[in-house]
Amino acid sequence: MNIIVCVKHVPETAEAEIKINPEGTAIEKTGLVFDINEWDDYALEEAVQIKEKFGGSVTAITVGPEDADSTLRKCLARGADNAIRLTDPKFNGSDSYAIAKILHKAIKDLPFDIVLTGALAGDDGYTAVGPILAEHLEVPHATMIKKIELSGDTARVNRELEGGLEEVVEIKLPAVLSIQTGINEPRYVSIMGIRKAMQKETKILGLADLGLSENEVGEAGSWITIEKVYVPPVEKQAEFLKGSAEDIATKIAELLKARGLV
Amino acid sequence: MKEIFVLAEHRRGQIRDITFEMLTKGLELAKEINTTLTTVLLGKDMKEQAEKLSQYSNKVLVIDDAKLENFNSEAYQRLLSHLITERKPILLMLGHTSYGIDLAPSLATSLNIPLATDCIDLKLENEKLTITRQMYGGKVNANGILRKAESYIVTIRQAAFQAKKGLSMNGEISQLPSILKEEMIEKRFIEFVLPPPGGVDITAADVLVGIGRGIKDENEIPSVEELAKTLGGVLACSRPIVDKGWLPNTRQVGSSGKTVKPKLYIALGISGAFQHVLGMKNSDLIIAVNKDPNAPIFGVADFGIVEDLFKIVPSLKSKIIELKAQK
């Protein structure tokens, strides 16, 4: 099985305080910690587990600037055999549609049985790269995947639906599968693994190498142009309880008592 | 003006709520631009559903085919491509759900129609579409404009619009022939997998203590569970806790888990991404503890505490025990 896994280098924002830039066009990235997108982390693990079971190779691929090399190194340390970074200043402002086009140009001539992506990225959350890429590659796709079973040229996958329900779908390979979190347990990266990965090379390709033109990428090649970002207006704001932990605990206890909850 | 399409979403015979949410917004947009609203219903034996949807739209286009008994993005894409090419609607709305996510991006790509996913608001003006969607797990809103085109496709976030009930528009129902000749070859629906039965029923609890990403280690869970027990409640959680395998998915609150409405919901270290909020926002009393003062959870909580949850949990537990002892 030759597996290609598409990964994205994103800021960790789940627990960080976010600030918007003065122009109101993006968030301030300084001070944020960047890492592999959480969904892609599971996709990478799934790729490595498939390779371990069936043999073959895993190629990690990303679109991003030099900083994204640390995410590729993590992939190599965790079991990917090759890494490719697609980069060009012209790629800035690309939405999921443009990103998928860029990925397509790099992947179309590589041998693959499965392309894995995360179901979505924690930054822009378009939830679209996988199926767009599949359409360009002219192969089938399935999204929100919680389980993969391979036999011959078909994959039997569990898709996560709403309310705890799943559906089982059979899909012909080669295919693009978008992975939901929780499908597996991403392995720990050892220092040794990272050191070894440092010796592996990352292939770097730009606009011209990929045979792309300027108007196919960036804002020009995207479906959406983001004009403004802002903190969501709150319809209602919690009443904040302040003071020492002791004070706060007392206030909550009183509140619960007053409502007959204790 | 060209019509607006809403793709009806249904599963196991039931029309899903998102459909009526989209129809409500779709009708509002149709009135604004002086056009009509058309529901597209693909399925098997959809007579009753078509009747119901006709009360919420000007037209219902029904394709009835045994091959459409269960959702299949390959079959849906073929039928919708055909319909869109023929009728050229200005807008097609789908749910940002497991079905819409599987269908919209490849459909839009194949037809070369601009797509915006997970929209929480949209506006059509002079055939230009502007949208609002969220980024960074709901911490930021983004306004965007789509590349000018003849048609647009959007996926709509669940519960972004409130569905109006009880309309009686008596829209016209048209049956269209299915162009699906043979079974789907690339993709085949096999079966549904129901969540495992048994375990704790979090939907029946009066008090829930929900834990999220703020819990860094499985060993931290017992102390929080003790707080839940002290309050006579049970432990619930957001997605990351289930992903790590620390609690079973029967404890998960949110769009891919359960919807709960306890008398008290204490959210500990939960940022409040919409998927979680969808499942707990109607709780009677919500208290949230989070280190990030801008965490979206504080937009739904009644009371908020900006603090490390592990500073609050022990103090609160002993206060409650004290209070109970006084009785």
Side-chain angles (χ1 to χ4, degrees):
Chain A
M1 285 279 163
N2 290 315
I3 306 148
I4 293 169
V5 52
C6 306
V7 297
K8 187 173 186 183
H9 188 62
V10 298
E12 283 182 0
T13 53
E15 292 176 279
E17 214 177 308
I18 289 189
K19 290 192 180 70
I20 312 269
N21 69 7
E23 300 80 34
T25 52
I27 64 162
E28 293 281 9
K29 304 271 171 70
T30 41
L32 292 175
V33 178
F34 280 67
D35 201 348
I36 184 171
N37 173 44
E38 198 180 341
W39 284 262
D40 304 344
D41 201 24
Y42 287 93
L44 173 73
E45 179 60 35
E46 198 63 21
V48 174
Q49 287 189 14
I50 293 171
K51 182 185 82 167
E52 285 168 350
K53 203 166 164 192
F54 296 94
S57 72
V58 173
T59 301
I61 183 163
T62 193
V63 179
E66 208 178 336
D67 295 353
D69 278 341
S70 64
T71 277
L72 287 179
R73 271 200 299 276
K74 194 171 189 177
C75 294
L76 291 167
R78 289 250 301 273
D81 305 282
N82 309 298
I84 305 172
R85 182 161 62 82
L86 311 175
T87 188
D88 202 290
K90 297 284 187 305
F91 294 169
N92 289 340
S94 293
D95 70 352
S96 54
Y97 182 57
I99 293 291
K101 278 189 281 183
I102 298 166
L103 288 168
H104 167 242
K105 292 287 183 188
I107 293 171
K108 69 180 173 56
D109 298 324
L110 299 175
F112 70 88
D113 300 291
I114 305 173
V115 178
L116 297 179
T117 71
L120 65 139
D123 54 358
D124 51 30
Y126 284 118
T127 329
V129 165
I132 298 171
L133 178 60
E135 195 64 33
H136 284 302
L137 289 167
E138 296 176 30
V139 299
H141 70 269
T143 55
M144 311 297 281
I145 290 172
K146 296 282 299 212
K147 188 179 173 188
I148 301 177
E149 277 175 348
L150 298 170
S151 71
D153 67 345
T154 57
R156 206 171 243 246
V157 299
N158 284 37
R159 296 190 62 233
E160 181 180 285
L161 307 177
E162 289 73 23
L165 195 67
E166 291 182 1
E167 66 177 8
V168 181
V169 173
E170 217 169 64
I171 184 168
K172 281 250 183 289
L173 299 182
V176 178
L177 306 176
S178 301
I179 303 299
Q180 176 60 298
T181 56
I183 186 174
N184 52 39
E185 220 176 295
R187 69 195 65 188
Y188 177 75
V189 195
S190 67
I191 301 290
M192 267 296 281
I194 292 179
R195 264 197 212 134
K196 266 193 184 162
M198 295 292 254
Q199 292 154 13
K200 293 189 192 170
E201 240 176 80
T202 295
K203 191 170 168 185
I204 295 169
L205 299 169
L207 188 78
D209 305 317
L210 294 166
L212 282 159
S213 66
E214 279 183 31
N215 56 14
E216 288 177 279
V217 299
E219 278 187 4
S222 291
W223 280 333
I224 303 177
T225 302
I226 298 299
E227 296 187 313
K228 186 181 152 202
V229 304
Y230 51 99
V231 174
V234 280
E235 285 163 32
K236 148 188 154 181
Q237 178 77 340
E239 181 186 331
F240 285 103
L241 305 178
K242 293 184 178 124
S244 67
E246 181 74 14
D247 294 343
I248 290 168
T250 308
K251 283 179 196 164
I252 298 176
E254 280 167 4
L255 221 114
L256 299 184
K257 191 181 167 196
R259 292 178 187 231
L261 289 163
V262 178
Chain B
M1 191 65 200
K2 300 178 293 181
E3 67 200 316
I4 292 175
F5 272 8
V6 166
L7 176 70
E9 183 168 322
H10 57 91
R11 181 148 67 225
R12 303 161 106 196
Q14 294 286 319
I15 301 169
R16 299 182 52 75
D17 291 348
I18 179 69
T19 308
F20 295 102
E21 292 158 17
M22 290 192 287
L23 287 170
T24 301
K25 183 64 186 176
L27 193 60
E28 186 188 310
L29 291 171
K31 281 180 180 160
E32 278 170 20
I33 62 166
N34 204 14
T35 187
T36 53
L37 178 65
T38 301
T39 302
V40 178
L41 176 60
L42 312 177
K44 183 194 167 202
D45 301 333
M46 289 280 118
K47 197 162 184 295
E48 203 180 299
Q49 290 85 344
E51 186 57 44
K52 188 166 185 196
L53 292 166
S54 71
Q55 302 310 326
Y56 295 84
S57 35
N58 302 104
K59 257 180 233 150
V60 184
L61 302 178
V62 188
I63 299 180
D64 221 304
D65 187 327
K67 293 189 272 301
L68 296 169
E69 183 172 6
N70 291 294
F71 173 81
N72 181 324
S73 66
E74 189 190 352
Y76 268 57
Q77 183 166 329
R78 279 200 216 169
L79 296 172
L80 283 168
S81 296
H82 188 72
L83 268 181
I84 292 168
T85 310
E86 210 162 69
R87 300 178 69 115
K88 299 209 173 4
I90 179 76
L91 178 69
L92 165 65
M93 300 165 80
L94 302 89
H96 193 72
T97 57
S98 55
Y99 289 169
I101 286 167
D102 214 45
L103 170 64
S106 52
L107 175 69
T109 306
S110 72
L111 294 171
N112 194 19
I113 294 177
L115 162 76
T117 54
D118 198 14
C119 298
I120 58 169
D121 204 2
L122 56 159
K123 205 173 184 181
L124 264 172
E125 245 170 0
N126 304 322
E127 300 199 14
K128 272 192 210 148
L129 179 67
T130 52
I131 55 101
T132 302
R133 58 193 306 287
Q134 294 199 312
M135 296 169 78
Y136 303 102
K139 291 190 172 182
V140 168
N141 274 12
N143 292 352
I145 181 156
L146 276 82
R147 191 179 75 203
K148 182 109 171 27
E150 264 188 45
S151 300
Y152 302 99
I153 301 178
V154 292
T155 65
I156 302 291
R157 175 177 288 189
Q158 298 169 74
F161 303 107
Q162 211 182 336
K164 278 208 182 97
K165 295 271 162 73
L167 300 195
S168 49
M169 292 171 67
N170 283 315
E172 176 200 342
I173 301 173
S174 316
Q175 295 280 342
L176 301 180
S178 171
I179 55 158
L180 298 175
K181 293 287 177 271
E182 62 287 318
E183 293 297 323
M184 294 304 105
I185 38 168
E186 294 193 329
K187 220 169 175 180
R188 215 156 54 88
F189 171 88
I190 305 292
E191 62 182 353
F192 287 113
V193 182
L194 304 176
V200 174
D201 182 9
I202 57 169
T203 63
D206 281 340
V207 175
L208 286 175
V209 175
I211 54 173
R213 218 180 276 273
I215 300 283
K216 296 293 174 208
D217 193 303
E218 198 171 0
N219 297 327
E220 295 168 351
I221 294 179
S223 74
V224 183
E225 184 152 35
E226 258 178 65
L227 171 66
K229 282 186 184 151
T230 309
L231 287 162
V234 294
L235 208 53
C237 64
S238 64
R239 168 161 215 122
I241 300 291
V242 175
D243 284 347
K244 291 196 174 99
W246 294 346
L247 285 177
N249 67 356
T250 47
R251 301 278 186 130
Q252 189 179 330
V253 172
S255 56
S256 50
K258 301 232 163 82
T259 302
V260 298
K261 198 181 171 298
K263 289 179 179 153
L264 170 64
Y265 190 93
I266 301 183
L268 301 174
I270 290 177
S271 69
F274 92 97
Q275 292 92 337
H276 183 75
V277 167
L278 211 56
M280 50 65 80
K281 63 178 177 187
N282 293 323
S283 305
D284 293 347
L285 176 66
I286 301 170
I287 300 173
V289 183
N290 200 293
K291 280 193 277 193
D292 175 9
N294 300 321
I297 193 75
F298 293 127
V300 287
D302 300 287
F303 295 94
I305 297 110
V306 181
E307 185 56 273
D308 182 350
L309 72 98
F310 295 104
K311 288 198 181 137
I312 302 298
V313 168
S315 306
L316 182 57
K317 198 162 35 191
S318 43
K319 276 286 168 224
I320 304 291
I321 292 168
E322 221 172 87
L323 208 60
K324 280 181 160 176
Q326 286 169 12
K327 280 189 180 170

